Amino acid sequence: MNNQAAIEIRGLSHSYGTRTALQDVSFQVARGTIFGLLGPNGGGKTTLFRILSTLLRPQTGTVQILGDDVAKSPHQIRRRIGVVFQAQSVDRQLTLLENLRHQGHLYGFQGKALRKRAEAMLARLGLADRKNDRAETLSGGLRRRLELAKGLLHQPEVLLLDEPSTGLDASARRDLRLYLSQLREEFGVTILLTTHFMNEAEACDCLGILDRGRLVALDSPAALKETIGGDVLVLGTREPETLSRRIQERFGGDPKIVGGMVRLERPQAHVFVTDLVEAFPGQIDSVTLSKPTLEDVFIQRTGHQFWQGTQESK
């Protein structure tokens, strides 16, 4: 295993009967970084997360975490990783401190040492003044912090987060991103998270984009957006196929029809808009011009919109 890699995946494939959830996925996660897996529902994120968290044995390929194989050494890996699932696992009837004490017992911590560790973790996540409150009194954002405290209690080297921002408002999502950055910078924790939020993906050091079980893009968010090669134009028209064909014949390029609109990438697109409107009078009903986004990267790599559903539900 690469000494710089906390996670290394090679040729990973997994199926549920005739449905392919993952297809020949390979990538590495460098130590001390925040790595994001971005993809729509059905893209394969959940299956990959289950494999990384040792809940599902890989069918084809290898997965190593901190040098151990998830298929051969799941028990060793579990003691070195923290996992926060999308579904909340806090006991709402227990206090925050009691939740952490129960979590600590799973890892063999007891007595004063456990209480000291639990109180320190609550303080780190800004929950010290609520330690004796029941979890049911917390807001969604604070409950997510408690989930993080549980996942970090045994001081893992790798933290796995499944859709950590689900159910949080915009302010709570910003707070969560801040806490994750602090974990990486102050404690060197390697973080892998799954997400379908573009702004959460933007904050990652490296990003893998999954679609229908395939890894379609892998790089930093900034580098991925640079591959677009220009501004993005989206044209509203009553005859998208005709307009797309005529644009290609007249100006070249590779216009695509996405969501009933004609989409194309063009340097200095604000100048090109004038040429388009003059070339095809009355055929363009609306024009949207924007700088490249991760959504545009997804469309470029897959040919369809991010929220366009698939039949695969894992």
Side-chain angles (χ1 to χ4, degrees), residues 11 35 38 41 55 60 96 137 151 157 164 178 189 196 200 202 219 274 283-284 288:
F35 184 98
L38 175 69
N41 293 334
L55 295 180
T60 304
L96 278 63
T137 66
E157 298 167 69
L178 176 62
V189 178
H196 59 264
E200 190 167 52
E202 289 271 10
D219 212 325
T274 302
Q283 296 183 45
I284 299 175
T288 302

Side-chain angles (χ1 to χ4, degrees), residues 100-112:
L100 292 195
R101 286 173 58 191
H102 282 286
Q103 180 76 4
H105 292 159
L106 298 176
Y107 290 90
F109 301 125
Q110 298 288 337
K112 293 182 179 179

Side-chain angles (χ1 to χ4, degrees), residues 278-296:
E278 292 178 351
F280 308 111
Q283 296 183 45
I284 299 175
D285 299 325
S286 65
V287 177
T288 302
L289 170 63
S290 63
K291 294 295 182 183
T293 65
L294 291 176
E295 169 86 17
D296 296 314

Side-chain angles (χ1 to χ4, degrees), residues 41-308:
N41 293 334
K45 303 190 306 296
T46 298
T47 296
L48 182 50
F49 191 86
R50 288 174 178 169
I51 292 172
L52 289 171
S53 57
T54 74
L55 295 180
L56 189 64
R57 187 183 180 92
Q59 293 173 341
T60 304
T62 61
V63 178
Q64 288 186 315
I65 299 179
L66 301 170
D68 289 322
D69 189 290
V70 298
K72 299 176 181 177
S73 307
H75 297 295
Q76 291 92 314
I77 289 174
R78 288 169 192 160
R79 301 196 68 84
R80 301 180 70 188
I81 65 173
V83 183
V84 178
F85 294 100
Q86 181 177 355
Q88 293 193 358
S89 64
V90 300
D91 190 320
R92 297 166 67 91
Q93 297 304 311
L94 298 181
T95 68
L96 278 63
L97 194 55
E98 288 168 342
N99 267 281
L100 292 195
R101 286 173 58 191
H102 282 286
Q103 180 76 4
H105 292 159
L106 298 176
Y107 290 90
F109 301 125
Q110 298 288 337
K112 293 182 179 179
L114 171 55
R115 184 181 181 89
K116 182 178 180 180
R117 183 184 288 251
E119 289 181 341
M121 188 57 60
L122 291 173
R124 182 192 299 181
L125 289 170
L127 296 170
D129 61 335
R130 304 292 300 272
K131 67 180 182 181
N132 294 317
D133 294 347
R134 287 188 179 185
E136 66 181 357
T137 66
L138 300 179
S139 65
L142 293 183
R143 277 199 299 272
R144 183 56 77 185
R145 287 196 215 175
L146 180 57
E147 294 276 5
L148 283 174
K150 289 180 60 178
L152 292 166
L153 185 65
H154 61 294
Q155 298 177 337
E157 298 167 69
V158 172
L159 180 63
L160 306 176
L161 305 171
D162 188 18
E163 301 282 0
S165 293
T166 297
L168 302 184
D169 60 27
S171 176
R173 290 199 296 269
R174 287 193 297 270
D175 287 344
L176 176 62
R177 290 196 294 272
L178 176 62
Y179 288 124
L180 295 182
S181 295
Q182 289 175 342
L183 284 174
R184 177 198 57 190
E185 294 167 7
E186 297 178 18
F187 303 100
V189 178
T190 302
I191 299 169
L192 180 144
L193 60 88
T194 69
T195 185
H196 59 264
F197 290 109
M198 295 294 176
N199 55 358
E200 190 167 52
E202 289 271 10
C204 295
D205 301 311
C206 189
L207 188 65
I209 300 179
L210 283 170
D211 180 55
R212 299 174 183 176
R214 297 179 301 111
L215 186 70
V216 298
L218 178 67
D219 212 325
S220 70
L224 289 174
K225 288 186 289 185
E226 287 177 0
T227 65
I228 295 297
D231 300 323
V232 178
L233 273 174
V234 178
L235 308 175
T237 176
R238 286 159 287 182
E239 298 181 0
E241 293 183 1
T242 300
L243 181 61
S244 176
R245 183 182 69 253
R246 295 189 65 187
I247 290 174
Q248 189 169 36
E249 293 171 350
R250 178 76 175 267
F251 297 103
D254 185 26
K256 295 182 173 65
I257 300 173
V258 180
M261 312 279 274
V262 178
R263 179 188 177 279
L264 61 155
E265 302 155 11
R266 196 84 174 189
Q268 294 186 316
H270 63 287
V271 176
F272 183 57
V273 168
T274 302
D275 296 334
L276 278 176
V277 174
E278 292 178 351
F280 308 111
Q283 296 183 45
I284 299 175
D285 299 325
S286 65
V287 177
T288 302
L289 170 63
S290 63
K291 294 295 182 183
T293 65
L294 291 176
E295 169 86 17
D296 296 314
V297 175
F298 184 86
I299 292 172
Q300 182 193 60
R301 301 300 175 92
T302 68
H304 63 85
Q305 292 173 301
F306 186 80
W307 294 109
Q308 180 175 318

